[in-house]
Amino acid sequence: MYSHPDQIALVLAAGRGSRMGAATEGLPKCLTELAGMSLLEWQLAALREAGVESVSAIGGYRASQLAPFVDIAAVNERWQESNMVSSLLCAAELLRGNRCLVCYSDIVYHYSIIENLLKAKADIVITGDADWLSLWAERFEDPLSDAETFRTVNGRLTKIGGRAATVEEIEAQYMGILSFTPAGWRNVEACLSGLEAHEIAHLDMTALLARMLNDNIEIEVVEVRGKWCEVDSRLDAEIFECCLERHALDNTKWSHDWR
């Protein structure tokens, strides 16, 4: 295992996750359970295994409940009326001075995904799952109802975030894992500088990435094949637990087993 003592990880954990239903009535979405541990605990274990020693969270809904698990770098007080980009901006000072790995709080992933991402040298890097269709087929009757366009050329992102009419428009699926150097973050701030506060509040991350592409900002893509999951609803968690059980009974390995 490589150690990355200067690497900072930020977990974006401001939202409640309303699609989790009653499971988040009393706690943040990232503290809901999947296969025996909370989503946040799975992430912290993977980051430690990948050699990332400094992990903080951007809190919001029930932020104080994150404190026993992770340092709270900032709190998005307007979490109810804003999006991921607003939460990330709460840590702008940290991003201006450090290379930061940024992760959504409702995902789980194998530590090797983080190891491979940290090898990338570009100023802005994201991961994309080339085996996305097998995961989306478990979650949706029509995978295209949820999946977004994703195209690359020579390892650089060229298109993201649109509605796809065919599977061929989707080379991979964005996972909610990103990396910014201070120079990369300066590009983000420049891209956002022309927007009003209310526009930023409603900007999601794929829309931000698409805006950066329009500004000719390079975004490197690290290709991933499985070994992660996104828990968008309680049904997702139930589906993934069933997949783990089914493959355990068959004595086979599920492609998206993150453990």
Side-chain angles (χ1 to χ4, degrees):
M1 180 185 76
Y2 293 97
S3 178
H4 301 278
D6 298 325
Q7 178 68 56
I8 294 173
L10 288 171
V11 180
L12 302 183
R16 172 181 173 175
S18 58
R19 279 176 282 193
M20 296 296 287
T24 57
E25 283 184 358
L27 75 169
K29 184 179 183 181
C30 64
L31 294 184
T32 60
E33 284 202 0
L34 174 67
M37 291 207 304
S38 71
L39 304 180
L40 181 59
E41 288 174 301
W42 283 118
Q43 282 208 45
L44 294 175
L47 290 166
R48 284 195 299 269
E49 190 66 23
V52 178
E53 299 173 7
S54 177
V55 184
S56 298
I58 309 300
Y61 174 69
R62 305 257 182 186
S64 63
Q65 295 191 26
L66 303 174
F69 302 92
V70 65
D71 291 334
I72 302 174
V75 175
N76 178 4
E77 301 288 357
R78 301 183 64 190
W79 62 269
Q80 286 181 291
E81 53 196 83
S82 63
N83 221 320
M84 288 282 194
V85 174
S86 295
S87 292
L88 189 57
L89 285 169
C90 292
E93 286 298 322
L94 199 59
L95 286 147
R96 287 172 189 146
N98 304 274
R99 180 179 177 180
C100 291
L101 168 69
V102 176
C103 304
Y104 290 8
S105 69
D106 61 355
I107 59 175
V108 291
Y109 43 79
H110 193 265
Y111 72 88
S112 61
I113 292 174
I114 302 302
E115 287 183 331
N116 290 333
L117 176 64
L118 295 181
K119 292 174 185 176
K121 303 300 182 184
D123 288 321
I124 303 174
V125 188
I126 67 172
T127 57
D129 182 13
D131 190 22
W132 69 275
L133 186 55
S134 67
L135 182 62
W136 259 245
E138 294 282 359
R139 302 171 65 201
F140 305 100
E141 184 175 346
D142 175 14
L144 290 179
S145 67
D146 180 81
E148 297 179 326
T149 55
F150 191 109
R151 302 300 295 269
T152 64
V153 172
N154 297 324
R156 294 293 188 270
L157 188 67
T158 60
K159 188 174 184 180
I160 192 171
R163 290 299 301 270
T166 66
V167 169
E168 287 70 31
E169 295 179 66
I170 308 173
E171 294 178 12
Q173 196 65 183
Y174 170 66
M175 300 163 53
I177 303 175
L178 315 89
S179 177
F180 301 98
T181 66
W185 182 249
R186 286 195 294 273
N187 283 331
V188 174
E189 293 190 313
C191 184
L192 294 173
S193 62
L195 296 180
E196 300 289 338
H198 70 91
E199 294 176 298
I200 294 174
H202 293 94
L203 193 67
D204 62 37
M205 202 70 76
T206 53
L208 172 61
L209 294 171
R211 288 184 66 89
M212 288 193 286
L213 292 179
N214 288 336
D215 288 349
N216 297 313
I217 297 170
E218 284 196 354
I219 301 169
E220 182 177 343
V221 176
V222 172
E223 183 181 291
V224 167
R225 289 192 172 273
K227 295 187 175 182
W228 78 288
C229 291
E230 172 196 31
V231 182
D232 196 41
S233 66
R234 191 59 225 165
L235 179 60
D236 276 339
E238 293 169 3
I239 289 170
F240 301 152
E241 288 172 346
C242 286
C243 287
L244 293 173
E245 292 172 7
R246 183 172 73 240
H247 283 269
L249 289 172
D250 294 342
N251 198 28
T252 57
K253 187 74 170 177
W254 182 37
S255 62
H256 283 75
D257 188 345
W258 64 94
R259 300 170 300 174

